[in-house]
Amino acid sequence: MKFTTATTLASLAALASAKDSRTFAVLRFNGDGFLTEGPVDPIVTPGTESTHYHGIMGGSNFGATVEGDQLMQSTCTTAKIKNDKSNYWIPSLFFQDPKNGTFQKVPLFYMNVYYFFEATDDEIKPFPVGMKMITGDAKTRSPPKAGGALNLDPDNGVPINAVQFTCPRSSYDPPSYPPNSDGTKAGMGDPNNKGAGSGFPLYPCDGYASPLRQDLHFPSCYNPAAGLNDYKNNMKFPSNVGYKQNCPKGWIHVPHIFFEIYWNTPLFDSYWTPDGKTQPFVLSTGDATGYSSHGDFISGWDQNTLQTIINTCDAGDSGMDRCPQIPGGLNDNNNCKIGTDFGTILKNGEIIRELPVVGSVVTGWGKGGVSGGEVDPPSKPSTTKATVKPTTTKATVKPTTTKASTTKVTTTHKATTTKVTTTHKTTTKAPTSKPKPTSTKAATTKASTIKSVENVPAPTKAPATHPAAGNPHIKTIWDIVTVTVTKTVYGPEPTHAHHRRAPGHSHGHAARHLAN
């Protein structure tokens, strides 16, 4: 029988509409680690330095500004599906040494993106090229009003809660979250899953091949009237109609994507002692609660490829790459990397005194500065202080009197299959007892990213005190200063935790998402 293009498209459209059951497939990524890292966010702070450090996956045409079909010109991608040039990014995770307050970046264990195609009366269509969306709130330090449970239903009278952490453990005695927690002094457990909750858990995650996992669900109804760039208004979660999920009239039903990001937290298990009250991990937003967990997405999908996957691919946990006849085929590039438009990419094991951009003051449970509310990021360039609201603290720290360098950033990067090509021209002076400013073209991030940490000990040899820890009278003062680039000490990366990946993603957590 001879098929015409029109017949084929009509058949695909019939398959795509009025789905009676959910299908799904997991998108995986190639290579070791992210495409790039740094304080870059083309959705929230296009063209300027972001308020915090991110890890980014996807197409190589990512940068501080991403518009229109820019991602479609990417020369490589970290996605296993060759025709997916989209970008997916999240705030990085840091370990803050309880003994001296210094930070180390937590390495990525691995990241997956689930593509769920819901039962619906709508036709599920691909994301429009260049569509931007966000889930979560980077500024919040308040517990979600929905509590610790996941809630993606906009019509049940409970606020949406699309962000959680999952902490697989060999035993949940004691529990990961305090029983009956209201979220103001510790996270809140999910009553439907003792391994999950809102905010960081208080005990190490020692499940097999499943360290601390950051969970982020995105809405799947796109409002074309709002447009591609209006990330605050262009998306919402679908309504439940019986067992189906439908979008409002005039909206476009797109795939429901879910980020799961596994962080290699077991590397640090021997450097902290659980006490059921505190935990040492901090998001790059400066958040010790975990409530500011969030994710960003810009679509760079070839439309025909994604539509084919929507209509025909139900590979589940085995992976989207297992589906046959995907247009464009699979991506065999295992080393797609680019540089960063701002700051520097931190190395694993590098010990720093301050978080990139954010600085040294961490907010959240027992850290001072805020208990709930929101934290305003600094404006750039600026010497004004960031306000923390609500707060009753009045003490302030006087800003430094050093002046910001006005040297223009001239960082170039291009995709490569062999190495990162980042041109940084830097002139440095030898360190003295009072370091003087130095001329640098690459360093526009605050001193937190590249400040000298010479003679900072490894975590196990750190001093027993840290003046900022637990001080309720500290407020953050945001200040741009020039810096002297000196020597950085790299802490030896612990080796007692093995980098294990469960074959075929075999730890079987997807069932709980299928029930939502």
Side-chain angles (χ1 to χ4, degrees):
M1 181 177 180
K2 185 176 180 180
F3 289 91
T4 65
T5 300
T7 302
T8 302
L9 291 175
S11 298
L12 290 176
L15 286 169
S17 60
K19 286 178 89 277
D20 291 326
S21 61
R22 169 191 269 184
T23 55
F24 77 100
V26 180
L27 174 69
R28 296 198 169 91
F29 297 93
N30 290 338
D32 183 14
F34 293 104
L35 166 77
T36 189
E37 300 175 40
V40 184
D41 188 332
I43 296 181
V44 179
T45 56
T48 63
E49 184 182 60
S50 174
T51 58
H52 52 278
Y53 192 93
H54 292 103
I56 301 99
M57 288 291 196
S60 62
N61 227 21
F62 177 86
T65 301
V66 175
E67 294 294 344
D69 63 354
Q70 174 179 327
L71 296 182
M72 304 304 289
Q73 279 71 56
S74 296
T75 57
C76 67
T77 179
T78 60
K80 281 190 175 292
I81 306 303
K82 194 171 185 178
N83 281 346
D84 180 17
K85 308 294 177 61
S86 306
N87 287 127
Y88 311 78
W89 68 97
I90 67 299
S92 296
L93 184 68
F94 288 82
F95 172 80
Q96 185 176 27
D97 193 312
K99 297 179 180 178
N100 71 351
T102 57
F103 301 91
Q104 286 191 55
K105 184 180 70 174
V106 179
L108 178 72
F109 194 58
Y110 65 93
M111 176 176 175
N112 292 328
V113 176
Y114 280 71
Y115 273 69
F116 292 119
F117 314 121
E118 314 290 357
T120 181
D121 294 315
D122 306 325
E123 178 183 354
I124 300 178
K125 296 181 179 181
F127 302 110
V129 173
M131 192 203 80
K132 301 172 181 177
M133 67 174 171
I134 289 178
T135 192
D137 182 353
K139 296 195 298 182
T140 190
R141 301 295 184 271
S142 295
K145 294 179 180 179
L150 187 72
N151 179 49
L152 307 181
D153 184 350
D155 303 317
N156 64 1
V158 179
I160 290 289
N161 185 20
V163 176
Q164 284 188 317
F165 284 92
T166 296
C167 181
R169 296 172 58 199
S170 56
S171 170
Y172 293 97
D173 184 17
S176 299
Y177 299 91
N180 303 316
S181 171
D182 64 1
T184 59
K185 296 182 179 179
M188 298 179 290
D190 185 337
N192 304 309
N193 179 6
K194 59 186 177 183
S198 296
F200 289 124
L202 296 176
Y203 291 90
C205 310
D206 59 358
Y208 174 71
S210 299
L212 180 66
R213 193 180 85 210
Q214 187 177 359
D215 295 349
L216 302 164
H217 287 269
F218 285 75
S220 55
C221 294
Y222 168 65
N223 181 10
L228 301 174
N229 296 320
D230 188 0
Y231 66 93
K232 294 182 179 179
N233 300 296
N234 66 358
M235 299 297 298
K236 69 177 299 183
F237 285 90
S239 296
N240 288 335
V241 180
Y243 66 93
K244 295 185 176 182
Q245 297 184 20
N246 295 342
C247 292
K249 185 177 181 180
W251 293 53
I252 298 173
H253 200 144
V254 296
H256 162 197
I257 62 173
F258 163 68
F259 291 8
E260 60 168 22
I261 307 98
Y262 285 91
W263 298 103
N264 208 348
T265 51
L267 291 174
F268 302 91
D269 282 356
S270 63
Y271 297 115
W272 65 290
T273 302
D275 60 6
K277 298 178 181 178
T278 61
Q279 61 80 43
F281 296 103
V282 179
L283 291 173
S284 60
T285 54
D287 174 23
T289 68
Y291 295 148
S292 70
S293 175
H294 61 282
D296 299 59
F297 171 80
I298 302 180
S299 177
W301 272 101
D302 171 76
Q303 299 290 278
N304 180 51
T305 302
L306 184 52
Q307 189 68 69
T308 300
I309 291 169
I310 292 169
N311 296 343
T312 67
C313 185
D314 188 19
D317 282 321
S318 64
M320 193 181 290
D321 50 295
R322 301 295 181 91
C323 287
Q325 300 178 338
I326 292 178
L330 303 183
N331 175 25
D332 59 2
N333 185 340
N334 289 312
N335 196 25
C336 182
K337 301 286 184 182
I338 63 172
T340 179
D341 284 349
F342 296 102
T344 56
I345 297 176
L346 297 173
K347 297 180 180 179
N348 292 336
E350 182 176 352
I351 299 172
I352 55 177
R353 291 190 183 277
E354 298 181 344
L355 293 172
V357 186
V358 170
S360 61
V361 177
V362 174
T363 53
W365 309 315
K367 299 289 186 178
V370 65
S371 294
E374 292 187 341
V375 174
D376 286 338
S379 58
K380 296 175 289 299
S382 174
T383 56
T384 59
K385 59 186 179 181
T387 59
V388 178
K389 50 184 182 182
T391 179
T392 58
T393 58
K394 297 182 179 180
T396 60
V397 180
K398 294 182 179 180
T400 65
T401 58
T402 54
K403 296 182 179 180
S405 169
T406 58
T407 306
K408 185 178 179 180
V409 180
T410 56
T411 301
T412 62
H413 58 73
K414 60 182 179 180
T416 175
T417 60
T418 56
K419 63 180 181 179
V420 177
T421 304
T422 306
T423 302
H424 284 175
K425 183 178 180 182
T426 307
T427 302
T428 63
K429 293 183 179 181
T432 62
S433 58
K434 293 184 178 180
K436 296 180 179 180
T438 183
S439 173
T440 174
K441 291 185 177 182
T444 60
T445 305
K446 293 182 176 57
S448 57
T449 58
I450 55 176
K451 184 175 180 179
S452 170
V453 289
E454 190 172 9
N455 298 324
V456 173
T460 52
K461 300 179 182 179
T465 60
H466 176 56
N471 188 335
H473 301 296
I474 289 181
K475 287 183 71 174
T476 308
I477 303 299
W478 300 103
D479 194 22
I480 293 183
V481 298
T482 53
V483 299
T484 298
V485 180
T486 57
K487 182 180 179 182
T488 300
V489 173
Y490 296 95
E493 191 166 339
T495 58
H496 60 275
H498 299 288
H499 189 96
R500 301 166 299 178
R501 185 188 297 263
H505 200 72
S506 61
H507 44 276
H509 67 273
R512 73 185 182 94
H513 301 298
L514 297 176
N516 289 321

